[in-house]
Amino acid sequence: MTSFDSSPHLNAWRTLLALAVVFVMLATTGWTAVRDNGGESSPLAAALSAWERGSINGHALPDPDAPAARLTQFFASLDKRQRDRLAARYPLAVGNMNGAPPELRYRANRIALGQARKVERERMHDKRLSPLGQQEAERRMKRFGVMMRPNRQVLAFDPMGSGRMAEVFGDLDKARRVSVVVPGVDTNVLTFERTWRKYSAPVGMAKALYREERAVDPRARTAVIAWADYTAPVGIGVDAATSMRAESGAVRLDSMVRALPGRSPVALYCHSYGSVVCGVAARTLPSRVRDITVAGSPGMRADRASQLGTRARIWAARDSDDWIQDVPYLEVGGLGHGADPVSGGFGARVLSAAGAAGHTGYFEPGTESLRNFAEIGTGAYQGVRCASADDACRKNISGGAAA
């Protein structure tokens, strides 16, 4: 039962439970559990400001916030030498500019990562920092070094604060289908990739999905984006219980999708708090977004899939031992994220997650959840395995509604 079809007494108890959870979070984390680096100058803001004052061949550069189509047209009007000159002069600006060619963004971000690496190397020896701060600077320095290797395709990078990043696997320009992985809480430049429990991090998720899509259809030309280009909540605190981070993330997600080259269909895979981002973004996302899949979701800021305001197919998965099922699925005064997406009344197509374990196991190789994600990502909807109890899902697939 979900909040919209429960009895009044059950609703009251759930409301009291939700408020109790909120009070506990306030007592342990406070309202300002996540603090921005207020007062600090943002390197990206400085780079964009320099771009706005710049010129090429005597002509002013376009507004960096112009529509992606306008910026695409501008870069297409330049030759390779001119584009490379802009990437070298304004690497952080070009590397994050929706509308710039992906290959140019990769080159620009490689330069920006090198510059950020030098900053962190200096911070490692900054006596004003605590030993813990110096250790974090060393970790960031090493991470930036790994990410600037020639084989990495970094689509977005911002070193400010905990940092933001996005990486592409596959050929984005030639892809006939694009998949985007949107992660949840505690995502930053240091957790973007892990060697231990690697499939719980955005890079591991995206790599696993890319490999599985190629296994499902070896001839499919797909690209997968590990998209951590929003400021995610830290921990399970008040920030994670509200939509504040999701609202700003939704704007960034929409801008990124609209700037993707070509017209290939796009599928979103939204894990945990990432499903809140996708739920908020759903109404404004372009029509090329054909599928939105949520896994381990605390809610999508809606009581029914029909309220999301999108024509994209909504899929949902949750394994049997994911702790997220114990959160209160309701919204009270801006706290909470609405109904449970795997509940019958929500209206999503519920996928099998057999083999997945816990809250972060959905992209583990060998799981039915990952296989299902790949079937959706390649458009092979007839191969999707529905949850055993979801007759509506099976009917939609067998009847062709998901084709």
Side-chain angles (χ1 to χ4, degrees), residues 40-53 64-65 90-98 105 108-109 112 115-116 155-161 163-165 229 231 252:
E40 285 190 30
S41 175
S42 163
L44 179 54
L48 292 172
S49 179
W51 169 278
E52 290 173 339
R53 298 190 305 270
D65 293 323
Y90 312 104
L92 206 55
V94 174
N96 289 277
M97 195 168 292
N98 290 321
R105 292 179 68 171
N109 281 320
Q115 294 175 345
L155 187 68
F157 168 61
D158 183 356
M160 181 68 177
R164 299 193 297 250
M165 193 171 286
D229 193 24
T231 303
R252 300 183 67 82

Side-chain angles (χ1 to χ4, degrees), residues 86-350:
L86 289 176
R89 188 180 298 169
Y90 312 104
L92 206 55
V94 174
N96 289 277
M97 195 168 292
N98 290 321
E103 288 291 341
L104 186 65
R105 292 179 68 171
Y106 304 156
R107 289 199 295 274
N109 281 320
R110 199 165 294 124
I111 296 170
L113 281 159
Q115 294 175 345
R117 187 169 182 263
K118 291 178 181 178
V119 171
E120 297 301 333
R121 185 185 290 115
E122 292 177 0
R123 293 181 69 243
M124 286 171 53
H125 306 290
D126 189 339
K127 301 301 183 183
R128 295 171 297 179
L129 294 180
S130 67
L132 188 62
Q134 291 175 333
Q135 184 180 29
E136 180 175 320
E138 182 179 10
R139 292 177 62 203
R140 286 168 64 96
M141 187 271 292
K142 290 179 178 178
R143 171 52 49 81
F144 296 162
V146 169
M147 295 305 299
M148 64 186 290
R149 291 173 181 170
N151 65 317
R152 308 301 290 256
Q153 299 182 137
V154 178
L155 187 68
F157 168 61
D158 183 356
M160 181 68 177
S162 59
R164 299 193 297 250
M165 193 171 286
E167 184 176 11
V168 176
F169 300 91
D171 190 330
L172 199 54
D173 282 314
K174 296 180 180 179
R176 291 182 178 173
R177 285 183 173 270
V178 177
S179 297
V180 182
V181 175
V182 183
V185 300
D186 293 328
T187 300
N188 53 57
V189 294
L190 292 178
T191 61
F192 187 62
E193 182 176 18
R194 293 190 177 103
T195 54
W196 178 70
R197 294 179 61 237
K198 60 184 178 181
Y199 300 113
S200 66
V203 167
M205 293 176 179
K207 279 185 174 180
L209 180 57
Y210 183 58
R211 286 194 296 264
E212 194 73 11
E213 287 180 348
R214 292 164 69 86
V216 165
D217 185 354
R219 296 173 299 175
R221 295 212 307 248
T222 65
V224 180
I225 302 173
W227 189 81
D229 193 24
Y230 81 105
T231 303
V234 177
I236 311 301
V238 174
D239 244 17
T242 70
S243 65
M244 180 181 69
R245 298 295 185 191
E247 288 167 3
S248 58
V251 173
R252 300 183 67 82
L253 178 62
D254 180 73
S255 297
M256 186 278 293
V257 171
R258 290 182 182 278
L260 291 174
R263 299 180 179 179
S264 52
V266 174
L268 305 182
Y269 300 88
C270 319
H271 177 248
S272 194
Y273 189 84
S275 64
V276 186
V277 177
C278 292
V280 174
R283 187 174 301 277
T284 61
L285 287 168
S287 60
R288 67 186 296 184
V289 176
R290 307 289 177 78
D291 298 276
I292 300 175
T293 303
V294 299
S297 174
M300 299 182 72
R301 304 297 293 183
D303 280 341
R304 297 176 179 83
S306 59
Q307 295 175 351
L308 294 171
T310 178
R311 297 182 64 182
R313 289 170 286 261
I314 307 298
W315 309 81
R318 188 175 68 213
D319 67 65
S320 59
D321 63 347
D322 188 338
W323 59 261
I324 202 75
Q325 64 190 305
D326 296 322
V327 306
Y329 281 98
L330 43 72
E331 187 273 324
V332 180
L335 294 164
H337 302 301
D340 184 352
V342 303
S343 64
F346 187 78
R349 296 170 169 89
V350 182

